[in-house]
Amino acid sequence: MDREEFDLALLEAGFTLAADKGWHRFSLVEAAHRAGLAVDEVRARFAFRHTLLLRLGRLADESAFRDDGLGGSVRERIFDLFMRRFDVFQQYREGIRAVLQALPTEPGLAVILGAATLDTMRWMADLGGIDRSGFGGAMRLNALVGVWGFALRAWEKDESPDLSQTMAALDQALDKAERYGALKPSPDRLMEEATRNTGIADHSLELET
């Protein structure tokens, strides 16, 4: 079993136990036994239960950031990036819901997840092409965190098979963010769009001639 298979097996076991017993009521030893993994190897890779959440977040980021045709406007890119993360979260849905329910009573967990989320949103903003320069950039980053939080709360309650309620909530939040200038394109993104539009115009002229 390679490292990725090992991690996936433990994530599946851990979040299944969280769904069944609650986030506070299972241990990594239980998760190791359920997954059929050696406890000493689990201890070496996952020192704390919170490490499961950080590994899942990294897994969701890897899926979101994979370059497989991501394009369009800043808004469209952010929408796609967020939904890719939710597609991964959906595989561990009940366990993640147990984590969200535990947040009000576990401040340490909230701090860890808050820091991890902020780091992910920085990557999301840069990959989506949002201008993060100066004070305005910091405000736009905070707005993006707010968009994610709004969509996450909708996802937590969304029982539709196609996540239609989550997508509707994300659209709503992005509408508001766009109106307030929170999706302002970065200079690099503007240059990329101008280059693409010039290429499209040149191609049209070639077809006309």
Coordinates of all heavy atoms in Angstrom, one line a residue, residues 16-67:
T16 N -15.9 8.0 8.7 CA -17.0 7.1 9.0 C -17.3 7.0 10.5 O -18.5 7.1 10.9 CB -16.8 5.7 8.4 OG1 -16.6 5.8 7.0 CG2 -17.9 4.8 8.7
L17 N -16.2 6.9 11.3 CA -16.4 6.9 12.7 C -16.9 8.2 13.3 O -17.8 8.2 14.2 CB -15.0 6.6 13.4 CG -14.6 5.1 13.3 CD1 -13.1 5.0 13.7 CD2 -15.4 4.2 14.2
A18 N -16.5 9.3 12.7 CA -17.0 10.6 13.1 C -18.5 10.7 12.8 O -19.2 11.2 13.7 CB -16.2 11.7 12.4
A19 N -18.9 10.2 11.7 CA -20.3 10.2 11.4 C -21.1 9.4 12.3 O -22.2 9.7 12.7 CB -20.5 9.8 9.9
D20 N -20.6 8.2 12.7 CA -21.3 7.3 13.5 C -21.3 7.7 15.0 O -22.3 7.6 15.7 CB -20.7 5.9 13.4 CG -20.9 5.3 12.1 OD1 -21.7 5.7 11.3 OD2 -20.1 4.3 11.8
K21 N -20.2 8.2 15.5 CA -20.0 8.5 16.9 C -19.9 9.9 17.3 O -20.0 10.3 18.5 CB -18.8 7.7 17.4 CG -18.8 6.2 17.1 CD -17.5 5.6 17.5 CE -17.3 5.6 19.0 NZ -16.1 4.7 19.4
G22 N -19.6 10.8 16.3 CA -19.3 12.2 16.6 C -17.8 12.5 16.6 O -17.0 11.6 16.9
W23 N -17.4 13.7 16.2 CA -16.0 14.0 16.1 C -15.2 13.8 17.4 O -14.1 13.4 17.4 CB -15.9 15.4 15.6 CG -14.5 15.9 15.5 CD1 -13.8 16.8 16.2 CD2 -13.5 15.4 14.5 NE1 -12.5 16.9 15.8 CE2 -12.3 16.1 14.7 CE3 -13.6 14.5 13.4 CZ2 -11.1 15.9 14.0 CZ3 -12.4 14.3 12.7 CH2 -11.2 15.0 12.9
H24 N -15.9 14.1 18.5 CA -15.2 14.0 19.8 C -15.0 12.6 20.3 O -14.2 12.3 21.2 CB -15.9 14.8 20.9 CG -16.1 16.2 20.6 ND1 -15.1 17.1 20.6 CD2 -17.2 17.0 20.3 CE1 -15.5 18.3 20.3 NE2 -16.8 18.3 20.2
R25 N -15.7 11.6 19.7 CA -15.9 10.3 20.4 C -15.2 9.1 19.7 O -15.5 8.0 19.9 CB -17.4 10.0 20.5 CG -18.1 11.0 21.4 CD -19.5 10.6 21.6 NE -20.2 11.6 22.5 CZ -20.8 12.7 22.1 NH1 -20.8 12.9 20.8 NH2 -21.4 13.5 22.9
F26 N -14.2 9.4 18.8 CA -13.4 8.3 18.3 C -12.0 8.7 18.4 O -11.6 9.8 18.5 CB -13.9 8.0 16.8 CG -13.3 9.0 15.8 CD1 -12.1 8.6 15.1 CD2 -13.8 10.2 15.5 CE1 -11.5 9.5 14.2 CE2 -13.3 11.1 14.6 CZ -12.1 10.7 14.0
S27 N -11.1 7.7 18.3 CA -9.7 7.9 18.3 C -9.0 7.4 17.0 O -9.6 6.6 16.3 CB -9.1 7.1 19.5 OG -9.2 5.7 19.3
L28 N -7.8 7.8 16.9 CA -7.1 7.4 15.7 C -6.7 5.9 15.8 O -6.6 5.2 14.8 CB -5.8 8.2 15.5 CG -6.0 9.7 15.0 CD1 -4.7 10.4 15.0 CD2 -6.6 9.7 13.6
V29 N -6.6 5.4 17.0 CA -6.4 4.0 17.2 C -7.6 3.2 16.6 O -7.5 2.2 15.9 CB -6.2 3.6 18.6 CG1 -6.2 2.1 18.8 CG2 -4.9 4.2 19.1
E30 N -8.8 3.7 16.9 CA -10.0 3.0 16.4 C -10.0 3.1 14.8 O -10.4 2.2 14.2 CB -11.3 3.7 16.9 CG -11.6 3.5 18.4 CD -12.8 4.3 18.8 OE1 -12.7 5.5 19.1 OE2 -13.9 3.7 18.8
A31 N -9.7 4.3 14.3 CA -9.6 4.5 12.9 C -8.6 3.5 12.2 O -8.9 3.0 11.2 CB -9.3 5.9 12.5
A32 N -7.5 3.4 12.9 CA -6.4 2.5 12.3 C -7.0 1.0 12.3 O -6.8 0.3 11.3 CB -5.2 2.6 13.2
H33 N -7.6 0.6 13.4 CA -8.1 -0.8 13.4 C -9.2 -1.0 12.4 O -9.3 -2.0 11.7 CB -8.7 -1.1 14.8 CG -7.6 -1.2 15.9 ND1 -7.9 -1.1 17.2 CD2 -6.3 -1.4 15.8 CE1 -6.8 -1.3 17.9 NE2 -5.8 -1.5 17.0
R34 N -10.1 0.0 12.2 CA -11.2 -0.1 11.3 C -10.6 -0.2 9.8 O -11.2 -0.9 9.0 CB -12.1 1.1 11.4 CG -13.4 1.0 10.5 CD -14.2 2.3 10.6 NE -15.4 2.1 9.8 CZ -16.6 1.8 10.3 NH1 -16.7 1.5 11.6 NH2 -17.7 1.6 9.5
A35 N -9.6 0.6 9.6 CA -9.0 0.6 8.2 C -8.0 -0.6 8.0 O -7.6 -0.8 6.9 CB -8.2 1.9 8.0
G36 N -7.7 -1.3 9.0 CA -6.7 -2.4 8.9 C -5.3 -1.9 8.7 O -4.5 -2.6 8.0
L37 N -5.0 -0.8 9.4 CA -3.7 -0.2 9.3 C -2.9 -0.4 10.6 O -3.5 -0.4 11.7 CB -3.8 1.3 8.9 CG -4.5 1.6 7.6 CD1 -4.7 3.1 7.5 CD2 -3.8 1.1 6.4
A38 N -1.6 -0.5 10.5 CA -0.7 -0.6 11.6 C -0.8 0.7 12.4 O -0.6 1.8 11.9 CB 0.7 -0.9 11.2
V39 N -1.0 0.6 13.7 CA -1.2 1.8 14.6 C 0.1 2.6 14.6 O 0.1 3.9 14.6 CB -1.6 1.4 16.0 CG1 -1.6 2.6 16.9 CG2 -2.9 0.7 16.0
D40 N 1.3 2.0 14.6 CA 2.5 2.8 14.7 C 2.7 3.6 13.4 O 3.2 4.7 13.4 CB 3.7 1.8 14.9 CG 3.9 0.8 13.8 OD1 2.9 0.4 13.2 OD2 5.1 0.4 13.5
E41 N 2.3 3.1 12.2 CA 2.4 3.8 11.0 C 1.4 5.0 11.0 O 1.7 6.1 10.5 CB 2.1 2.9 9.8 CG 3.2 1.8 9.6 CD 3.0 1.0 8.4 OE1 2.3 1.4 7.5 OE2 3.5 -0.2 8.4
V42 N 0.2 4.7 11.5 CA -0.8 5.8 11.6 C -0.2 6.9 12.5 O -0.3 8.1 12.2 CB -2.1 5.3 12.2 CG1 -3.1 6.4 12.5 CG2 -2.8 4.4 11.1
R43 N 0.3 6.5 13.6 CA 0.9 7.5 14.6 C 2.0 8.3 13.9 O 2.1 9.5 14.2 CB 1.5 6.8 15.8 CG 2.2 7.7 16.8 CD 1.2 8.6 17.5 NE 1.8 9.5 18.5 CZ 2.4 10.6 18.3 NH1 2.6 11.0 17.0 NH2 2.9 11.3 19.2
A44 N 2.8 7.7 13.0 CA 3.9 8.4 12.4 C 3.4 9.4 11.4 O 4.0 10.5 11.2 CB 4.8 7.4 11.7
R45 N 2.2 9.2 10.7 CA 1.7 10.1 9.7 C 0.6 11.0 10.2 O 0.5 12.1 9.7 CB 1.2 9.3 8.5 CG 2.3 8.8 7.6 CD 1.8 8.3 6.3 NE 1.0 9.2 5.5 CZ 1.5 10.3 4.9 NH1 2.8 10.6 5.0 NH2 0.7 11.1 4.2
F46 N -0.1 10.6 11.2 CA -1.2 11.4 11.7 C -1.1 11.5 13.3 O -1.7 10.7 14.0 CB -2.5 10.7 11.4 CG -2.8 10.7 9.9 CD1 -2.3 9.8 9.0 CD2 -3.6 11.7 9.3 CE1 -2.6 9.8 7.7 CE2 -3.9 11.8 8.0 CZ -3.4 10.8 7.1
A47 N -0.3 12.5 13.7 CA 0.0 12.6 15.1 C -1.3 13.0 15.9 O -1.4 12.6 17.1 CB 1.1 13.6 15.3
F48 N -2.2 13.7 15.3 CA -3.3 14.2 16.0 C -4.6 13.9 15.1 O -4.5 13.9 13.9 CB -3.2 15.7 16.3 CG -2.0 16.1 17.1 CD1 -0.9 16.6 16.4 CD2 -1.9 15.9 18.5 CE1 0.3 16.9 17.1 CE2 -0.8 16.2 19.2 CZ 0.3 16.7 18.5
R49 N -5.7 13.9 15.8 CA -7.0 13.7 15.0 C -7.2 14.8 14.0 O -7.7 14.6 12.9 CB -8.1 13.5 16.0 CG -9.4 13.1 15.4 CD -10.5 12.9 16.4 NE -10.4 14.0 17.4 CZ -11.1 13.9 18.6 NH1 -11.9 12.9 18.9 NH2 -11.1 14.9 19.4
H50 N -6.8 16.0 14.4 CA -7.0 17.2 13.5 C -6.2 17.0 12.2 O -6.6 17.6 11.2 CB -6.5 18.5 14.2 CG -7.3 18.8 15.4 ND1 -8.5 18.2 15.8 CD2 -7.0 19.7 16.4 CE1 -8.9 18.7 16.9 NE2 -8.1 19.6 17.3
T51 N -5.2 16.1 12.2 CA -4.4 15.9 11.0 C -5.3 15.3 9.9 O -5.0 15.5 8.7 CB -3.2 15.0 11.3 OG1 -2.6 15.4 12.5 CG2 -2.2 15.0 10.2
L52 N -6.3 14.5 10.3 CA -7.2 14.0 9.3 C -7.9 15.1 8.5 O -8.0 15.0 7.3 CB -8.3 13.2 10.0 CG -7.9 11.8 10.5 CD1 -9.1 11.2 11.3 CD2 -7.6 10.9 9.4
L53 N -8.3 16.2 9.2 CA -8.9 17.3 8.5 C -8.0 18.0 7.6 O -8.3 18.4 6.5 CB -9.5 18.3 9.6 CG -10.6 17.7 10.5 CD1 -10.9 18.7 11.6 CD2 -11.8 17.4 9.6
L54 N -6.7 18.2 8.1 CA -5.7 18.9 7.3 C -5.4 18.1 6.0 O -5.2 18.7 4.9 CB -4.5 19.2 8.1 CG -4.7 20.1 9.3 CD1 -3.3 20.3 10.0 CD2 -5.2 21.4 8.9
R55 N -5.4 16.8 6.2 CA -5.1 15.9 5.0 C -6.2 15.9 4.0 O -6.0 16.0 2.8 CB -4.8 14.5 5.5 CG -4.4 13.5 4.3 CD -3.1 13.9 3.7 NE -2.7 13.1 2.5 CZ -3.0 13.5 1.3 NH1 -3.6 14.6 1.0 NH2 -2.6 12.7 0.3
L56 N -7.4 15.9 4.5 CA -8.6 16.0 3.6 C -8.6 17.4 2.9 O -8.9 17.4 1.7 CB -9.9 15.9 4.4 CG -11.2 16.0 3.6 CD1 -11.2 15.0 2.5 CD2 -12.4 15.9 4.5
G57 N -8.3 18.4 3.6 CA -8.2 19.7 3.0 C -7.2 19.8 1.9 O -7.5 20.3 0.8
R58 N -6.0 19.2 2.1 CA -5.0 19.1 1.1 C -5.5 18.3 -0.1 O -5.2 18.6 -1.3 CB -3.7 18.5 1.7 CG -2.5 18.5 0.7 CD -2.2 19.9 0.2 NE -1.8 20.8 1.3 CZ -0.5 20.8 1.8 NH1 0.4 20.1 1.3 NH2 -0.2 21.7 2.8
L59 N -6.2 17.2 0.2 CA -6.7 16.3 -0.9 C -7.7 17.1 -1.7 O -7.7 17.1 -3.0 CB -7.4 15.1 -0.3 CG -7.8 14.0 -1.2 CD1 -6.6 13.3 -1.8 CD2 -8.7 13.0 -0.5
A60 N -8.6 17.9 -1.1 CA -9.6 18.7 -1.8 C -8.9 19.8 -2.6 O -9.3 20.1 -3.8 CB -10.5 19.3 -0.8
D61 N -7.8 20.4 -2.1 CA -7.0 21.4 -2.8 C -6.4 20.8 -4.0 O -6.4 21.4 -5.1 CB -5.9 22.0 -1.9 CG -6.5 22.9 -0.8 OD1 -7.7 23.2 -0.9 OD2 -5.8 23.3 0.1
E62 N -5.8 19.6 -3.9 CA -5.1 19.0 -5.0 C -6.1 18.8 -6.1 O -5.8 18.9 -7.3 CB -4.5 17.7 -4.6 CG -3.3 17.8 -3.7 CD -2.9 16.5 -3.0 OE1 -3.6 15.5 -3.3 OE2 -1.9 16.5 -2.3
S63 N -7.3 18.4 -5.8 CA -8.4 18.2 -6.8 C -8.8 19.5 -7.5 O -8.9 19.6 -8.7 CB -9.6 17.5 -6.2 OG -10.6 17.3 -7.1
A64 N -8.9 20.5 -6.6 CA -9.4 21.8 -7.1 C -8.3 22.5 -8.0 O -8.6 23.1 -9.1 CB -9.7 22.7 -6.0
F65 N -7.1 22.3 -7.6 CA -6.0 23.0 -8.3 C -5.5 22.3 -9.5 O -4.6 22.8 -10.3 CB -4.8 23.3 -7.4 CG -5.2 24.1 -6.1 CD1 -4.4 24.1 -5.0 CD2 -6.3 24.9 -6.1 CE1 -4.7 24.8 -3.9 CE2 -6.7 25.6 -5.0 CZ -5.9 25.6 -3.9
R66 N -5.9 21.1 -9.8 CA -5.5 20.3 -10.9 C -5.8 21.1 -12.2 O -7.0 21.5 -12.4 CB -6.1 19.0 -10.9 CG -5.5 18.0 -12.0 CD -5.9 16.6 -11.7 NE -5.5 16.1 -10.5 CZ -6.3 15.7 -9.5 NH1 -7.6 15.8 -9.6 NH2 -5.9 15.2 -8.4
D67 N -4.8 21.3 -13.1 CA -5.1 22.1 -14.3 C -5.6 21.2 -15.4 O -4.9 20.6 -16.1 CB -3.7 22.8 -14.7 CG -3.9 23.7 -15.9 OD1 -5.1 24.0 -16.3 OD2 -2.9 24.2 -16.5

